[in-house]
Amino acid sequence: DVKVTQSSRYLVKRTGEKVFLECVQDMDHENMFWYRQDPGLGLRLIYFSYDVKMKEKGDIPEGYSVSREKKERFSLILESASTNQTSMYLCASSTPTGKPFFGPGTRLTVT
Amino acid sequence: RKEVEQDPGPFNVPEGATVAFNCTYSNSASQSFFWYRQDCRKEPKLLMSVYSSGNEDGRFTAQLNRASQYISLLIRDSKLSDSATYLCVVNVMDSNYQLIWGAGTKLIIKP
């Protein structure tokens, strides 16, 4: 059974804190993605990676960075969290041309 | 114009009725197509892939019309448990690999 896990389901952080969101997949997928989802705005791509140490900016990369040191792990970093980064964060993975599988999501609140 | 468009709904449908959604895409380099289901505060989960010849999975039928650049999802004999948001996603292979998501159609099945 395919599995994508995320380090936290719920997270509360203060403005200015550095935040790490971790995602791990066990399917040996090449591609990994970070999205955020806000009511009425759908899924918005923050960053994706198609290989270890490779990354591409998505539609809304500002305020975020990523790290992919191992194939199975893709981390999203908020260098200095702000209240407008309060959102649901979803990680996904896929083969190069295949359908994505999602983790359960992290609901981040920045106060 | 958005690359992938869906009617946001909500579609309010009585239990047992048949309901259909469309999803239009603009990029002719689109290669594969999927429907996902997302329950409230959960991650999107794959419902079904969409094949050129059309495909069926129980009460669900998916179709692709390449000439008019849309995919459709038909749900027959709708159940209360079908209430969810339905997302279409298009895999585009032009200069690089991209997943383009629709914003989703909300379906509410009423008893």
Side-chain angles (χ1 to χ4, degrees):
Chain A
D1 204 16
V2 298
K3 202 156 188 178
V4 180
T5 56
Q6 294 184 227
S7 48
S8 306
R9 294 297 298 273
Y10 300 94
L11 208 52
V12 179
K13 294 291 181 181
R14 294 192 183 277
T15 301
E17 278 193 85
K18 191 168 186 175
V19 181
F20 292 88
L21 302 182
E22 299 251 298
C23 175
V24 178
Q25 49 99 1
D26 66 358
M27 295 165 282
D28 202 36
H29 283 167
E30 290 80 2
N31 294 344
M32 294 189 76
F33 308 84
W34 275 107
Y35 293 92
R36 66 177 280 178
Q37 190 174 36
D38 302 286
L41 293 178
L43 284 167
R44 292 185 290 168
L45 181 64
I46 304 171
Y47 269 95
F48 74 95
S49 168
Y50 53 88
D51 203 350
V52 175
K53 296 191 187 295
M54 305 301 288
K55 61 185 179 186
E56 294 279 343
K57 291 180 180 179
D59 301 317
I60 50 163
E62 296 79 20
Y64 303 95
S65 61
V66 290
S67 170
R68 193 165 181 202
E69 296 296 318
K70 294 185 177 182
K71 190 175 185 181
E72 68 270 18
R73 190 179 297 267
F74 192 35
S75 302
L76 180 70
I77 303 139
L78 287 66
E79 294 290 341
S80 177
S82 62
T83 54
N84 63 12
Q85 293 178 310
T86 291
S87 187
M88 171 75 133
Y89 289 87
L90 289 157
C91 174
S93 72
S94 76
T95 59
T97 58
K99 47 194 172 286
F101 293 90
F102 284 86
T106 296
R107 195 163 290 277
L108 172 68
T109 302
V110 183
T111 61
Chain B
R1 183 176 170 222
K2 293 180 185 174
E3 290 197 61
V4 174
E5 291 202 61
Q6 294 184 253
D7 185 335
F11 283 40
N12 290 284
V13 173
E15 194 175 7
T18 295
V19 60
F21 313 129
N22 279 349
C23 170
T24 58
Y25 62 93
S26 59
N27 193 320
S28 58
S30 300
Q31 291 202 344
S32 52
F33 309 85
F34 309 99
W35 282 103
Y36 279 70
R37 172 198 168 120
Q38 186 173 24
D39 294 296
C40 189
R41 300 176 76 83
K42 300 273 190 168
E43 75 274 23
K45 293 185 178 176
L46 179 69
L47 180 64
M48 57 199 301
S49 303
V50 186
Y51 302 120
S52 296
S53 54
N55 49 298
E56 193 172 301
D57 182 2
R59 297 181 293 109
F60 298 83
T61 300
Q63 297 213 304
L64 166 63
N65 186 319
R66 283 196 185 273
S68 301
Q69 298 193 176
Y70 73 87
I71 63 173
S72 63
L73 178 68
L74 183 80
I75 306 174
R76 289 182 299 279
D77 187 24
S78 54
K79 311 289 184 193
L80 295 176
S81 57
D82 293 333
S83 296
T85 296
Y86 291 84
L87 302 161
C88 65
V89 56
V90 173
N91 179 339
V92 176
M93 290 287 288
D94 41 29
S95 56
N96 52 31
Y97 165 87
Q98 292 186 76
L99 284 171
I100 313 295
W101 290 87
T105 296
K106 186 168 185 176
L107 174 65
I108 300 169
I109 305 297
K110 295 184 175 294

